[in-house]
Amino acid sequence: MIHFRLNLFLAIAAIAGCSACAAWQFTKGGYAPALLWLIGAFCAVLWLLHTVRIPVNALSSFLSSLEARDTTLRMPPSDDPQLTRMAGDMNRIAATYGRATHDLEVRKLYYDRILRVITHEIRNSIAPVIALSTEFADHPDRYGSSDTAEVMTMIRDQSRDIKRFLDSYYELTHLPRPEKAPVDVGELLLRVRRLAASHAKQMGFDPGEIALRATAGLAFEADSPLLERALTNLIRNAIEAVASAPDPKIAVTATRSGGYVVFRVADNGPGLPEVVAANLFQPFLTTKEGGSGIGLCISAQIARLHGGDIIHEPSASGTVFALSVKA
């Protein structure tokens, strides 16, 4: 597209000039020259239509692709600065629309998966309660006092399991917004180690052996209680991972990287199987007996509330999690 605005101006000028000359020839009685000028004006109109058609067709194709949810089409730049700016703006709109569509699909898949897990867990837990209560209500004469106590105990235990599961889901979906305040990273790590101490002792691991290392003077603004919770979850997982290791080691480091503070929790445990690593942050997925399966998911939510994220980093031995927060 060669200088759209120049072509547009020249075409309009040609139409006006040819029309004026044709009218002037008509007034003089020169019908043949007037006809030639009209032909020139008609050609100028065709030139104008061709000049306008190119960006209109490009815009029409672009909008049609968006309507069809095809966000891969991009408007090409031209040698006209104004059209190039317009193409850039439209391409940014397409990219934003593509990201929004992708995020919507990801969230739909996420919530569909959550709904399936919740439905599965509640159905499995409620089924024996319904069966026992129905049997007891229909045939009360079959049960003595000891049987009654046993049935009530089973119903109570199943009800507690259902409540525990629903409490976990409530906790996952009702994290508070961060209330940020200055945080000294060195002091934060010491508090986190103290919070994990009781769990470490239960697992037979000396909490003093959790090595802490932070960049000197490292500080930033964050919600300290939320961040302590996220890091404690990671350290508790590391403690459980090294429980059977012959020479258990856990290291927690904190460094600044770009505009982020990155916390790494590394252990020398057996590592994670591929099938587990692929679904680490799926809520309610756990390999631990009695585990809720929301610890890592909550840690990831807290990191995202702070403008960061959490990832499982490849490691030759053991497991490494990196939690980043915007500084």
Side-chain angles (χ1 to χ4, degrees):
M1 190 183 301
I2 302 175
H3 298 296
F4 171 78
R5 284 177 296 176
L6 177 61
N7 284 349
L8 189 65
F9 173 77
L10 291 176
I12 293 173
I15 292 171
C18 290
S19 299
C21 290
W24 179 61
Q25 289 293 336
F26 271 121
T27 58
K28 289 177 57 178
Y31 296 107
L35 183 60
L36 292 176
W37 282 113
L38 285 176
I39 293 174
F42 178 73
C43 291
V45 168
L46 294 180
W47 181 20
L48 175 65
L49 291 176
H50 176 73
T51 301
V52 173
R53 181 180 60 82
I54 295 175
V56 168
N57 285 352
L59 184 59
S60 177
S61 298
F62 179 83
L63 294 176
S64 297
S65 70
L66 285 185
E67 187 178 5
R69 297 189 175 185
D70 175 13
T71 58
T72 59
L73 184 65
R74 294 291 184 269
M75 290 189 69
S78 75
D79 52 6
D80 185 277
Q82 189 169 358
L83 285 182
T84 298
R85 285 195 298 272
M86 184 187 75
D89 291 338
M90 298 303 290
N91 290 339
R92 282 191 290 274
I93 291 172
T96 302
Y97 176 75
R99 286 193 299 269
T101 302
H102 177 264
D103 290 345
L104 185 63
E105 291 297 325
V106 169
R107 290 188 180 190
K108 181 179 182 301
L109 291 173
Y110 174 80
Y111 288 116
D112 283 348
R113 182 182 294 176
I114 291 290
L115 184 59
R116 286 197 300 271
V117 171
I118 291 174
T119 304
H120 175 76
E121 291 292 334
I122 293 180
R123 282 172 63 90
N124 283 354
S125 298
I126 204 72
V129 173
I130 294 173
L132 287 169
S133 57
T134 301
E135 174 67 17
F136 192 77
D138 292 346
H139 307 286
D141 53 310
R142 296 181 183 177
Y143 299 92
S145 57
S146 61
D147 295 327
T148 301
E150 183 180 357
V151 169
M152 291 299 105
T153 300
M154 294 177 68
I155 290 176
R156 180 199 63 193
D157 292 344
Q158 289 296 112
S159 300
R160 282 179 176 173
D161 287 343
I162 294 172
K163 184 179 184 304
R164 180 179 62 84
F165 176 81
L166 293 177
D167 286 345
S168 297
Y169 180 72
Y170 181 87
E171 185 180 21
L172 180 64
T173 55
H174 287 76
L175 283 172
R177 302 298 301 179
E179 296 182 5
K180 295 184 178 182
V183 174
D184 182 282
V185 173
E187 294 178 0
L188 172 70
L189 294 184
L190 289 173
R191 288 197 301 271
V192 169
R193 185 165 63 181
R194 286 195 294 269
L195 289 171
S198 61
H199 187 65
K201 291 174 181 176
Q202 289 176 7
M203 301 298 296
F205 182 77
D206 181 3
E209 294 297 319
I210 300 175
L212 305 178
R213 188 173 70 255
T215 302
L218 183 57
F220 67 111
E221 288 198 348
D223 188 311
S224 185
L226 280 179
L227 206 51
E228 288 170 11
R229 185 175 179 186
L231 291 170
T232 302
N233 284 339
L234 296 180
I235 293 175
R236 286 169 62 93
N237 286 346
I239 290 169
E240 293 168 6
V242 301
S244 58
D247 183 23
K249 294 184 184 302
I250 296 174
V252 184
T253 62
T255 56
R256 187 181 293 274
S257 177
Y260 295 85
V261 172
V262 181
F263 299 87
R264 283 184 173 82
V265 179
D267 65 67
N268 65 339
L272 295 172
E274 288 186 12
V275 65
V276 175
N279 297 280
L280 272 175
F281 303 104
Q282 178 181 333
F284 312 116
L285 177 69
T286 181
T287 58
K288 296 181 285 190
E289 185 177 353
S292 64
I294 65 166
L296 278 177
C297 191
I298 285 180
S299 294
Q301 294 267 35
I302 291 171
R304 288 165 191 157
L305 286 173
H306 283 80
D309 207 347
I310 182 172
I311 60 171
H312 170 236
E313 293 187 341
S315 176
S317 63
T319 303
V320 180
F321 282 101
L323 184 150
S324 61
V325 291
K326 199 162 188 179

